[in-house]
Amino acid sequence: MLNLRSLLVGLCAVLLSPAPVTAQVADPASLSPGEHHTVVNGVRLWYRVAGRPEGTPVVFLHGGPGQGGQTFARFAGPGLEPHLRMVYLDQRGSGRSERPWNDAYSLDLLVDDLEQLRRAWGVEKITLVGHSFGTILALEYAAEHPERTERVVLTAAVPDLQGALDLQCVRLERLDPTTYARAVAERPEDFAARCNPFAAGRAFVDGAMYPDPATMALVDATDSADGLSNTGEIGRVLFGGGLMRYRFDRHARLTMPVLVIAGLADFQTVVEPQRDLVAALPDARILEYPDRGHFMFVEDPARFAADVVGFLAP
C-alpha cells in the first residue's frame, strides 16, 4: 500500500538506485508448492507457491513499497488457490526477502528481478496481480515484456501517482480548508502535487484508505505477524529517486487483457486515473466496488476472488 509511513520516509532522502546487474541464481528456482529462496540480481528473494500444480504462474506483486504479500495471501489466497497457480513474491527489501546492503532499489531492477525469476522457473509466460505500488511494477513489467505477460490484474492501481496526489489535495480542500492551506504551505518545493496531503496527518491518510477502521486493524495485524514489518527502506529510495512523479505512458504495449478493480471509497488511489488507464489500454475493463477502500480483498474477499478467477480462469 502507498501509506503515510512509506511516503514520509521516502521524502527524506534523494538516492538513485543502480542499474540492474546479471542475475545470480544460487539454486534452481522452483515452482513446486511451498516456500522458496533464490538469489536474483545479488539479493535473496523469498516466494511461496500455492494452489493448482499446473498452469500459468499468477504472481502477486504487493504494495508498500515494502509491505510483503502476507495480507493478500491470507485474505484473497483461499478463494484464488483452488483455481490458480499462485506465487506470492516478497520483493527485494520486503517481507521475508533480503534487504540489499547497498540500497539497490529501482523500478528497472524490480522489473528485472521478476523477469529473471520467470526465466529461472522455465515458463514462457506469467500472469500478474498487482496491488497499489505493485500495480506500478505490474504495468512496467507488462510494458517491458508484453510477450511474456499473459494477463494483468490491477487492484487499487496507481497509473498516475502525481494525479492521484492532486486529487487527494482536492478532497482535503473540500473537507478541511484550514488544513489544506497548511498542506500547501508545507509542500516541498520539488513535491509533485499542488499540496502535501501527508501534512494533513495520519488520520486523513488512513481515512482515505480505510472506510472501516476495523479493516486497518486487520491489515496492520497481518502485516506485522511473524515479526514482519515495512522498514520504509525501499520507499525512501524509490520516492527519493522520483517515484512521486510516476505516470505510466506505454499504453500501446499492453496488448494483453487487463482487469482493473477499484474501490470507490478508496481516496488514496482514487478511481479517476484508473478509469483513464482503462480507456487508454487496448484490451481492458474496470470493476468498481462501491463502499470499498484500498484493501477490497480484505473487505470483500469472496467477491474479489470470484472476479479475479472469472477473469483469469474463465
Side-chain angles (χ1 to χ4, degrees):
M1 57 183 168
L2 287 159
N3 59 31
L4 177 65
R5 283 164 289 185
S6 296
L7 291 175
L8 289 180
V9 172
L11 294 175
C12 293
V14 180
L15 299 174
L16 293 177
S17 305
V21 297
T22 304
Q24 303 169 31
V25 180
D27 303 300
S30 172
L31 282 173
S32 61
E35 298 185 13
H36 301 272
H37 294 266
T38 192
V39 178
V40 175
N41 286 329
V43 173
R44 185 172 296 278
L45 300 180
W46 176 96
Y47 63 94
R48 182 171 67 87
V49 181
R52 295 179 62 85
E54 70 285 324
T56 302
V58 179
V59 184
F60 175 65
L61 303 174
H62 59 75
Q67 181 186 17
Q70 56 270 24
T71 296
F72 186 88
R74 173 185 170 185
F75 290 96
L80 299 175
E81 291 166 16
H83 309 278
L84 303 169
R85 190 183 198 181
M86 294 299 303
V87 181
Y88 304 103
L89 169 65
D90 283 355
Q91 300 150 30
R92 58 173 55 222
S94 309
R96 294 176 172 84
S97 287
E98 184 180 13
R99 297 196 299 273
W101 65 270
N102 59 348
D103 280 353
Y105 300 108
S106 69
L107 280 181
D108 287 344
L109 190 50
L110 289 164
V111 166
D112 194 61
D113 285 348
L114 187 54
E115 173 60 7
Q116 297 302 333
L117 279 173
R118 183 202 62 79
R119 294 180 184 180
W121 291 333
V123 296
E124 288 295 315
K125 292 189 175 185
I126 55 178
T127 284
L128 303 176
V129 177
H131 174 240
S132 195
F133 167 74
T135 65
I136 294 177
L137 181 52
L139 286 167
E140 292 301 312
Y141 180 90
E144 190 67 23
H145 303 285
E147 74 288 353
R148 302 301 183 190
T149 309
E150 187 167 287
R151 289 180 178 239
V152 176
V153 177
L154 306 172
T155 179
V158 200
D160 180 358
L161 182 50
Q162 181 173 338
L165 290 170
D166 275 328
L167 287 170
Q168 289 181 37
C169 293
V170 171
R171 177 171 177 263
L172 178 60
E173 183 179 20
R174 183 179 70 251
L175 295 176
D176 188 342
T178 301
T179 302
Y180 170 75
R182 186 175 76 246
V184 172
E186 295 182 15
R187 173 190 174 275
E189 185 176 346
D190 60 347
F191 197 72
R194 70 184 195 181
C195 82
N196 177 8
F198 309 109
R202 179 72 184 273
F204 175 77
V205 176
D206 287 344
M209 288 193 291
Y210 301 105
D212 182 355
T215 304
M216 182 173 67
L218 284 173
V219 172
D220 285 348
T222 308
D223 280 356
S224 60
D226 300 324
L228 301 176
S229 64
N230 186 347
T231 67
E233 181 178 289
I234 182 173
R236 170 177 57 82
V237 177
L238 292 180
F239 289 118
L243 185 63
M244 281 287 186
R245 299 185 181 278
Y246 178 79
R247 181 170 289 155
F248 183 68
D249 61 3
R250 295 193 283 174
H251 302 85
R253 290 187 60 80
L254 267 67
T255 55
M256 71 294 298
V258 176
L259 173 66
V260 175
I261 301 178
L264 295 183
D266 178 7
F267 301 106
Q268 178 85 333
T269 53
V270 291
V271 70
E272 288 85 353
Q274 302 180 66
R275 291 171 178 162
D276 292 342
L277 173 69
V278 169
L281 292 177
D283 184 6
R285 59 190 177 98
I286 187 169
L287 296 177
E288 299 179 4
Y289 288 14
D291 304 319
R292 301 306 185 190
H294 198 65
F295 288 85
M296 68 288 291
F297 52 83
V298 176
E299 299 166 301
D300 201 346
R303 178 185 177 185
F304 178 87
D307 287 339
V308 172
V309 169
F311 177 69
L312 297 183

